[in-house]
Amino acid sequence: MFADNHRISHRQMIRQLILSLVVPILLCLPGTHHILGANGLLGILVNFIIYYFAIILLIRIAPAYQDLQKTLGTFQSRCIGLLYLVPLVLTGAYLLSTAASLACTYLISGIPKWLASLLILAVCATGSHMGLEKRGRIGEVSCGLIIGAFLLLYLLAC
């Protein structure tokens, strides 16, 4: 009857998943000489297709993971949680390192990399308290713009 503002819709969740999987592709491109030319474009296209099917798979199996402690027990549910958490932490550390090196090179020259990393973490930490529903709305609004820009950049590169 009334909207629950402490939850996000499936559409918002799907758009946040898409955005979270496009960002590593964009941040891995600058400064790498191994993925230039046709090989780089083909690699981006193949990764985007794989990410698309991974998103579909995660959405389809979501009901199986709703209450893992009830289904599997505490130890097994924590092991599965670590299985999902470790790649996220490693990817976040890599993206933080890449963003800090880009900021040191192109934005603020002469700043130490650790200080740029600390500033990036501070900005991300201050934005994380806004709540799930606000992040869902921001993801829903910005998804079309970011995906459109990504596809335009890809088409221009082709």
Side-chain angles (χ1 to χ4, degrees):
M1 184 175 203
F2 296 107
D4 188 5
N5 287 331
H6 299 290
R7 297 180 61 179
I8 61 173
S9 67
H10 289 283
R11 185 175 69 193
Q12 291 172 340
M13 181 183 68
I14 290 168
R15 290 183 179 173
Q16 281 186 341
L17 280 171
I18 290 170
L19 287 176
S20 68
L21 293 174
V22 167
V23 170
I25 293 172
L26 293 176
L27 280 179
C28 292
L29 286 180
T32 56
H33 300 290
H34 304 291
I35 55 172
L36 295 176
N39 290 336
L41 292 174
L42 183 64
I44 291 171
L45 182 64
V46 168
N47 281 331
F48 197 70
I49 291 169
I50 290 171
Y51 282 156
Y52 179 75
F53 285 115
I55 288 171
I56 291 173
L57 176 69
L58 288 174
I59 291 169
R60 295 288 180 191
I61 65 172
Y65 291 98
Q66 284 182 351
D67 195 5
L68 282 178
Q69 283 187 338
K70 184 178 175 184
T71 307
L72 297 176
T74 305
F75 180 72
Q76 288 89 353
S77 65
R78 289 188 181 179
C79 288
I80 289 175
L82 281 176
L83 181 70
Y84 285 110
L85 184 65
V86 168
L88 286 176
V89 169
L90 292 176
T91 303
Y94 174 71
L95 292 177
L96 178 64
S97 173
T98 304
S101 65
L102 287 173
C104 290
T105 304
Y106 297 111
L107 290 177
I108 309 169
S109 59
I111 189 171
K113 189 175 177 181
W114 66 269
L115 185 58
S117 298
L118 188 64
L119 290 173
I120 291 171
L121 278 176
V123 168
C124 292
T126 56
S128 66
H129 75 282
M130 294 179 69
L132 181 66
E133 62 277 356
K134 287 185 182 178
R135 286 193 307 262
R137 290 184 197 119
I138 290 170
E140 184 177 6
V141 168
S142 65
C143 184
L145 179 67
I146 292 173
I147 295 297
F150 176 75
L151 291 176
L152 179 67
L153 285 173
Y154 187 77
L155 289 174
L156 290 174
C158 287

